[in-house]
Amino acid sequence: MQAGIESISIYTSQYYLDLKTLANQWGEDPDKYYIGIGQEQMSVPAPDEDIVTLAANATAQALQGIDAGALDTLLFATETGIDQSKAAGIYVHELTQLPKNMRVFELKQACYSGAGGLSLALPYLLHHPDRKVLIVAADIARYGIGSIGEPTQGAGAVAMVLSTNPKIMAFDLESGIYTHDVMDFWRPNYTDEALVDGKYSIKMYITALREAWQHYVDVTGNSFADFHRYVYHLPFTKMADKAHQFLVRHANAELRPEEWKRQIDDAAIYQRFIGNTYAGSVFVALTSLLDNSPDDLTDKRIGLFSYGSGSVGEFFTGIVQQGYQSHLKKAMHQEIISERAELDYETYKEFYLFKSKLPTDGSPMRTPKHNTGRYRFAGLTEHQRLYEVVA
Ligand code: COA
């Protein structure tokens, strides 16, 4: 028996900032962003959008054509928590009308927690083959106006229905794992902007890749050549080039640049326009690969690497299933990204700064209406967040 992805869908904010606009604002060469870090645009959440609305939109899409009655678990992966106690997934459960006999809880470890959720879900499903698990990863990457991380912001969600009927990808159970206590990126409770030592985080990412890969090789005996494509966590798309170049050298694989680039490039297409989606990033990248690969990936083994600063890394693997193409939502994903409205710098800044205007004393507030898909964050009253289904 196998377990894996029966359905997968991504969602992102309906507004974006072109990084040329950001470059003009700060007097940078746009090529530093377009070429240097490999990012052209970043999705910007509207004031009435948060991880719940992003996640609910992705969930509603992923559930199309699925028997939701078999779902008994929702794992919500995020590092943009909206409450210290209540799981954001409970709002998603209500908004998308999931079955009442479910367990819902939240997972956190920087950008790693989506992959962490997968490692819990797979053995669970193999013990309960009639059930399904929903993993939703949603995040809004905020580093601060004018900060070094600003061009690597983004927002989005991915929802995956996992089951023992993996129509898209079946995961292998063995993986390589690594944990090391480092301060490369973190967000103290008193701030909603991440603190980051950018160059150090790139170094720690590569260290975690080396260690998790080595652990994977030791455990399985598999080698670099066993994989058709590689999918990396993408804080910015150039990170995949850095990571894969390292792995190619480390594994003594003799590949020309165009050969190793071919192994990673289709996975970076969506992220180049959405930006960092933190916990969802490696699965947004997987969706990008499956949707956009010109080759038939049937029966091909894919290697995936998730990295969460702080830090945890995991190298895990899956095999693409026969007929997977007919279960993808490629047209929907491409439309969501291409239909976004471009923001000028002032409106981006206004959207960004809105969060600081939310009351913290329990007084009521309604949020202005923007395009947020089927769901919106309608405001606050008595310290409670209000959500609405958009007609
Ligand atoms: N044309 C083409 N490339 C250019 C360029 C230009 N005009 N100007 C600069 N570059 C290149 C640099 O050479 C560099 O490439 P390299 O990394 O291959 O050496 C790249 O663009 C970035 O330039 P750099 O000066 O290093 O950027 P920065 O100091 O602004 O920092 C990050 C970039 C990614 C470290 C920063 O945005 C950050 O901290 N982001 C958040 C943290 C993060 O995403 N961490 C990743 C691990 S989880």
Side-chain angles (χ1 to χ4, degrees):
M1 200 190 329
Q2 305 185 101
I5 301 173
E6 183 176 338
S7 171
I8 186 165
S9 196
I10 63 164
Y11 184 81
T12 189
S13 309
Q14 289 306 289
Y15 302 92
Y16 75 91
L17 185 74
D18 197 297
L19 293 191
K20 277 187 185 146
T21 309
L22 197 65
N24 287 339
Q25 174 67 24
W26 299 119
E28 294 276 9
D29 179 352
D31 281 350
K32 174 175 175 183
Y33 303 149
Y34 271 51
I35 298 168
I37 60 170
Q39 289 299 132
E40 286 185 36
Q41 301 169 357
M42 63 188 192
S43 286
V44 179
D48 52 343
E49 195 161 43
D50 67 7
I51 54 162
V52 169
T53 63
L54 291 167
N57 276 298
T59 299
Q61 291 168 190
L63 289 178
Q64 286 176 16
I66 294 289
D67 169 19
L71 283 168
D72 76 354
T73 303
L74 190 172
L75 302 176
F76 195 106
T78 189
E79 54 181 302
T80 321
I82 50 160
D83 193 288
Q84 293 282 15
S85 173
K86 181 168 175 168
I90 294 182
Y91 296 106
V92 174
H93 177 271
E94 174 68 16
L95 287 168
T96 59
Q97 300 180 322
L98 294 173
K100 67 176 182 178
N101 297 119
M102 284 183 71
R103 58 176 75 76
V104 179
F105 56 100
E106 199 161 300
L107 304 167
K108 176 177 71 181
Q109 179 13 57
C111 303
Y112 167 74
S113 58
L118 185 67
S119 72
L120 300 179
L122 296 175
Y124 175 77
L125 286 166
L126 294 173
H127 278 95
H128 304 280
D130 56 331
R131 318 267 173 88
K132 295 181 202 280
V133 172
L134 179 64
I135 295 184
V136 190
D139 269 311
I140 295 170
R142 285 168 67 89
Y143 289 94
I145 301 280
S147 70
I148 187 179
E150 190 179 22
T152 57
Q153 294 179 150
V158 56
M160 297 185 283
V161 177
L162 303 167
S163 75
T164 50
N165 184 14
K167 294 174 179 165
I168 295 174
M169 173 174 270
F171 288 102
D172 303 304
L173 288 183
E174 299 293 357
S175 65
I177 46 182
Y178 172 75
T179 287
H180 184 200
D181 180 6
V182 292
M183 294 303 282
D184 56 339
F185 170 110
W186 67 106
R187 185 167 69 79
N189 283 345
Y190 49 80
T191 171
D192 62 18
E193 290 169 348
L195 305 177
V196 65
D197 183 342
K199 299 276 160 47
Y200 184 53
S201 72
I202 293 171
K203 240 169 117 177
M204 290 303 97
Y205 181 121
I206 299 288
T207 302
L209 171 62
R210 183 189 68 219
E211 297 294 328
W213 168 258
Q214 202 50 54
H215 184 224
Y216 174 77
V217 170
D218 293 346
V219 167
T220 63
N222 286 347
S223 68
F224 184 90
D226 290 318
F227 297 95
H228 185 67
R229 298 292 186 99
Y230 286 81
V231 175
Y232 290 93
H233 162 54
L234 296 174
F236 51 95
T237 68
K238 199 64 180 293
M239 189 66 227
D241 293 43
K242 291 178 188 291
H244 202 51
Q245 255 178 303
F246 167 81
L247 198 61
V248 167
R249 270 198 316 274
H250 181 75
N252 293 320
E254 287 180 9
L255 294 179
R256 293 191 303 277
E258 61 274 21
E259 289 174 320
W260 67 254
K261 293 273 295 165
R262 229 185 119 251
Q263 294 183 321
I264 57 171
D265 276 358
D266 295 327
I269 292 170
Y270 291 159
Q271 226 108 345
R272 200 173 169 84
F273 300 97
I274 294 174
N276 198 353
T277 53
Y278 286 167
S281 163
V282 70
F283 299 106
V284 174
L286 174 63
T287 309
S288 178
L289 167 66
L290 296 168
D291 282 0
N292 297 298
S293 168
D295 314 337
D296 180 0
L297 298 174
T298 303
D299 294 333
K300 301 286 193 242
R301 180 167 269 123
I302 311 293
L304 300 102
F305 177 67
S306 174
Y307 175 71
S309 288
S311 64
V312 176
E314 182 156 2
F315 185 86
F316 58 108
T317 68
I319 296 178
V320 181
Q321 301 296 290
Q322 180 123 37
Y324 72 98
Q325 294 96 334
S326 58
H327 302 290
L328 299 176
K329 303 185 191 310
K330 176 177 173 173
M332 182 190 284
H333 298 152
Q334 290 180 342
E335 192 181 320
I336 287 166
I337 294 169
S338 66
E339 295 289 298
R340 293 170 309 157
E342 182 173 357
L343 300 178
D344 58 26
Y345 185 79
E346 286 312 313
T347 315
Y348 149 71
K349 198 168 157 191
E350 192 187 310
F351 278 19
Y352 187 93
L353 295 176
F354 183 82
K355 202 160 185 247
S356 60
K357 295 188 187 142
L358 292 173
T360 55
D361 62 356
S363 55
M365 182 195 197
R366 300 294 291 184
T367 50
K369 262 193 183 149
H370 292 87
N371 182 2
T372 58
R374 295 185 207 192
Y375 308 97
R376 63 183 298 273
F377 165 50
L380 283 158
T381 186
E382 293 175 4
H383 300 286
Q384 297 173 28
R385 296 177 84 85
L386 306 172
Y387 292 96
E388 281 174 359
V389 178
V390 176

